[in-house]
Amino acid sequence: MAESLQTATAGITIRETIDGQETEKKRSRGKTPVKPRKSDPYLWGIYIALLVVSVIELFSASSSEVSAGNVYLPLIRHGLFLVIGLGLVLFLQNIHYIKISNLAVFMAVVSLGLLLFSNYFGIEINGAQRAISIAGFTIQPAEIVKYTVVILLATILGRSQSPGGISNKGMIIAALSVVLFAACLWKNGLTNTILLFLVSVAMFLIGGMRWKQFFIIMAIYTVCGGCLYLVKYQDEKDDEFDKVGKTEMVAGNDDGRMETHKGRISRFLEGVNPDDPIDDYNRQVVFAKISQANGGVFGQGPGNSRESARLPLAFSDYIYSIIVEDTGLVGGIGLLIVYLLLLARAGRIAYRCSRAIPSFMIMGCAVLIVLQALVHMAIVTGLFPVSGQPLPLISKGGTSVIVMSVAIGTMLSVSRFSVTSGDKKQIKAELKELPKEMQAANYSNYENTQR
């Protein structure tokens, strides 16, 4: 009888008297909303730690940029972008990851348009045409593309998830999307293109790629990469031919990016000897090694770098060498551990997600940040050939700082709004809120495989 009465009165207004005051309340119809949790404190702690390192070490590494008029100007400029990035993190952590995923296609179109514009009308930075200048600010579309591809792949793979792994259709669509972006990114920078491929493969493996799919994807990437290589450098030779004429081309006067890449690989294989003269080709490598040697085990102390004034791009592409000089081997390893903790924490959150899409989103963002950090460190320490790659959230560079902050904000959004697989009541509420195409379970979690 009581149950019948409750059913009959659901949704009607009930008048009550409390302390002589008449009040009204409306009974809900039984829908349980998904309750957002607090943002993950570990992710916040790692993010704040990276910001602190960024402020301290960028000031130490910016001596070549310091002017007599204002010694704090480089720090103020960088600090402004860090504040903007912090604002974006605070904003995005309160935005449901569904809304971010729904913007994946729109972001892909916009970032692809910016990338194509930079390829043909952009300004040249460090020998490559890769930036757009607007009202005194420089935008690096390649940085935007890397985050965009992560969100796009997370959306595609999340909608293609099944107990047996990723469907063949979803894998092919995702791979072709990566190839499309790589084809447009290739002219912008070889290292960014390789990084894009590596991030996509990592996300495929996380999603349960089968061995057959793995070899198919590797074949697609290899063939497309070879074709891009031939097309790009043939176009480059044609452009050089138009500039210097047939006679000089035959004589071998070709100073394009192809020769730059070949020279870097050749010098990497040969190595640097103490007796080698310092020139424009090995200056970065030599001073980076000297900087790290000065650091020793415990470093010279923050702000006491001696090589920041001589090392080209010490504040961006080679800031890790300044960190090692200031804090020593201990500090260099400590920073590496901080990045790896970011990946580990993201993995823990991703494993507990009940749905596939948030799991892909948080892991994709973490892999992007950590893999880029590892590539930067490998270049600086001499494990990889010389190339330009900023250290995420630490190196100077407005676009990089903002994009990586957006990635952190996305991770915090997932940590707040994704439902853990152990809460059955919240899982049911989540399924009611999510569109049908986003309801694929996260089958990397054992509990979801039993449903």
Side-chain angles (χ1 to χ4, degrees), residues 34-50:
V34 175
K35 299 177 181 178
R37 303 185 301 273
K38 291 184 178 181
S39 299
D40 187 76
Y42 297 99
L43 292 180
W44 264 113
I46 293 170
Y47 173 60
I48 296 299
L50 292 176

Side-chain angles (χ1 to χ4, degrees), residues 146 149-150 153 157 178 192-206 221 363-369 371-372:
K146 286 183 285 189
V149 170
V150 166
L153 290 183
L157 298 179
V178 174
N192 283 326
T193 307
I194 294 174
L195 185 61
L196 192 67
F197 281 129
L198 293 177
V199 171
S200 67
V201 171
M203 293 184 69
F204 292 156
L205 293 174
I206 291 169
Y221 281 0
M363 282 304 298
C365 290
V367 167
L368 171 62
I369 295 172
L371 193 55
Q372 182 167 316

Side-chain angles (χ1 to χ4, degrees), residues 367-447:
V367 167
L368 171 62
I369 295 172
V370 175
L371 193 55
Q372 182 167 316
L374 294 178
V375 170
H376 173 97
M377 294 176 183
I379 292 171
V380 169
T381 55
L383 297 177
F384 285 0
V386 174
S387 183
Q389 199 62 230
L391 188 60
L393 296 168
I394 295 180
S395 291
K396 177 188 174 185
T399 307
S400 176
V401 169
I402 289 176
V403 169
M404 292 303 163
S405 298
V406 169
I408 293 290
T410 302
M411 296 172 67
L412 288 169
S413 171
V414 172
S415 73
R416 287 200 70 202
F417 293 99
S418 63
V419 174
T420 58
S421 56
D423 193 337
K424 295 182 179 180
K425 189 175 182 180
Q426 285 289 288
I427 289 175
K428 291 181 180 180
E430 185 180 40
L431 288 174
K432 292 180 180 179
E433 290 187 359
L434 289 176
K436 185 177 181 180
E437 63 271 14
M438 292 187 177
Q439 293 180 3
N442 175 19
Y443 291 101
S444 63
N445 190 314
Y446 176 78
E447 292 184 20

Side-chain angles (χ1 to χ4, degrees), residues 34 46 95 139 147 183 287 398 415:
V34 175
I46 293 170
I95 301 298
I139 300 175
Y147 170 77
F287 288 128
S415 73

Side-chain angles (χ1 to χ4, degrees), residues 112-123 129 131-134 141:
L112 195 60
L114 290 174
L115 186 60
L116 291 173
F117 184 87
S118 69
N119 286 344
Y120 295 99
F121 305 102
I123 61 176
Q129 193 172 357
I132 300 173
S133 180
I134 301 177

